[in-house]
Amino acid sequence: MNILAVDVGGTKVLGVYFANGVIQAREQWASQSMTWEILKDWLRTMVGDLPVDAVAVASAGRVSHDRIDPLNRSVLSWIQSIDVRADLARQFKAPVTLVNDATAAAYAEYCVRTSGDQPEPENLAFVTVSTGIGCGLVINGRPLISGTGLASHAGHIRGIESPETDELTICSCGMPGCIESRASGAALGRQLSQRVGQQVTAKSLFDGSVPEAVSEQLISASARQIAHLIDTLHMTLDLDQVVLGGSIGLQPTYLSQVKALLISRELIDGPRIEVAECGHLSGVQGAAFIAERQLLMDLAND
Ligand code: BMX
Ligand code: ZN
């Protein structure tokens, strides 16, 4: 099966062409200067004459049957109100599936853990700490997807009060105090810029370019919010597995901080916590798995 998979995030758009599960082409573009027409052009160029059996889109935002509606309108306004499904189906003459980026990543991480020697998870949460805080859930072995696309946006539950994260900062969803507005890459970049008195991104926290005491303090405050998020999800869903992803979540030092800060209760075992096995590819990989499953179901029903 030949699948064109696209992961649309707040910072970058990743396009991958899979031929029978093997990557044949891969490109990455910045989301900021993107338009829908430019993205389609780039995808067309990347695919060239290769055959496409399905187009699989994973995107940040509330993803419904045919559209992508960003909660954070400052990053993906260019995709809002486009009929993504119909337009890509016309373009590539193939069926199109759309899914939220973190949900796709959760499904990829679930699939790679169902074949191997570790115990298979039934309930898995994927938490991406990147531009925003994304969350995807696989419950009883199935990805959780709701009609409006809002399900699993757990980055927008209230965080815990902390001197490092400003209580009054308004989140991209319009509310003050969300975990996303306290702990995401965008939030860390803002907090760090204030501390060092110049415009920098969260990347500087991990490359040794800012004083260690500052980066340790901000990373640990962010990790505390994520530990709180994981605890809330675990007490609600009884998770077997939590997977961290995203440019910040994939940092090994971040994982160890989250683990150390996780609340442990005497009578309750916590979930296993690991970084994404698929790394930065979990979104495209999960979208491709979902498209493949859909295609097989359609063929069986024909
Ligand atoms: C935001 C929201 C989620 C997304 C998450 C991570 C938008 C555009 N995004 O909470 O849908 O899963 O960020 O997104 O509304 P990323 O861009 O950081 O990957
Ligand atoms: Zn929010």
Side-chain angles (χ1 to χ4, degrees):
M1 227 172 256
N2 303 300
I3 297 182
L4 168 61
V6 191
D7 183 351
V8 182
T11 304
K12 62 172 173 41
V13 179
L14 176 64
V16 171
Y17 178 86
F18 291 98
N20 296 322
V22 179
I23 296 177
Q24 299 273 301
R26 173 181 173 170
E27 298 276 355
Q28 191 172 303
W29 308 283
S31 310
Q32 218 181 12
S33 46
M34 188 62 83
T35 69
W36 179 239
E37 292 306 318
I38 292 177
L39 177 59
K40 278 195 303 178
D41 270 357
W42 280 341
L43 291 173
R44 252 195 320 258
T45 310
M46 185 182 102
V47 167
D49 295 332
L50 296 167
V52 175
D53 298 316
V55 182
V57 180
S59 175
R62 275 175 293 177
V63 180
S64 62
H65 179 72
D66 48 9
R67 273 162 216 274
I68 294 161
D69 185 12
L71 274 180
N72 179 355
R73 301 225 158 139
S74 64
V75 290
L76 288 183
S77 53
W78 53 270
I79 213 162
Q80 204 182 320
S81 66
I82 305 277
D83 189 340
V84 172
R85 173 190 288 270
D87 208 12
L88 288 178
R90 227 180 353 257
Q91 186 77 69
F92 292 98
K93 303 193 173 24
V96 178
T97 51
L98 305 182
V99 65
N100 169 268
D101 55 353
T103 303
Y107 192 59
E109 294 297 324
Y110 169 80
C111 291
V112 298
R113 284 172 175 78
T114 51
S115 51
D117 33 0
Q118 54 179 333
E120 290 191 4
E122 278 183 7
N123 293 343
L124 176 148
F126 180 89
V127 178
T128 167
V129 186
S130 42
T131 316
I133 302 288
C135 174
L137 297 168
V138 176
I139 304 299
N140 297 326
R142 298 178 73 85
L144 180 73
I145 295 173
S146 63
T148 66
L150 186 64
S152 90
H153 273 79
H156 298 274
I157 60 178
R158 279 188 76 83
I160 42 175
E161 284 177 31
S162 134
E164 281 80 17
T165 62
D166 183 1
E167 183 68 13
L168 295 175
T169 303
I170 304 291
C171 179
S172 56
C173 72
M175 284 288 287
C178 289
I179 292 179
E180 175 160 308
S181 66
R182 297 173 188 265
S184 63
L188 285 168
R190 200 179 51 240
Q191 292 156 15
L192 184 61
S193 302
Q194 262 170 20
R195 295 285 182 99
V196 298
Q198 67 183 89
Q199 204 60 34
V200 285
T201 66
K203 230 189 230 170
S204 314
L205 289 169
F206 300 94
D207 64 10
S209 64
V210 295
E212 212 175 297
V214 175
S215 55
E216 269 174 14
Q217 205 179 26
L218 294 185
I219 293 168
S220 142
S222 165
R224 179 168 285 111
Q225 302 290 339
I226 299 304
H228 164 69
L229 172 60
I230 293 171
D231 181 62
T232 307
L233 290 172
H234 184 47
M235 293 309 289
T236 318
L237 300 166
D238 191 2
L239 298 169
D240 308 296
Q241 176 85 53
V242 172
V243 180
L244 289 186
S247 49
I248 293 167
L250 284 169
Q251 301 283 338
T253 49
Y254 195 82
L255 174 76
S256 46
Q257 293 245 22
V258 171
K259 278 185 165 173
L261 291 163
L262 207 64
I263 298 148
S264 71
R265 292 182 175 81
E266 204 185 330
L267 300 176
I268 299 167
D269 289 337
R272 288 186 299 277
I273 306 184
E274 293 167 340
V275 289
E277 278 189 31
C278 303
H280 291 285
L281 294 177
S282 47
V284 277
Q285 188 65 76
F289 283 152
I290 289 171
E292 205 172 287
R293 199 184 64 173
Q294 185 64 47
L295 215 56
L296 292 172
M297 266 161 43
D298 291 349
L299 286 173
N301 291 335
D302 271 353

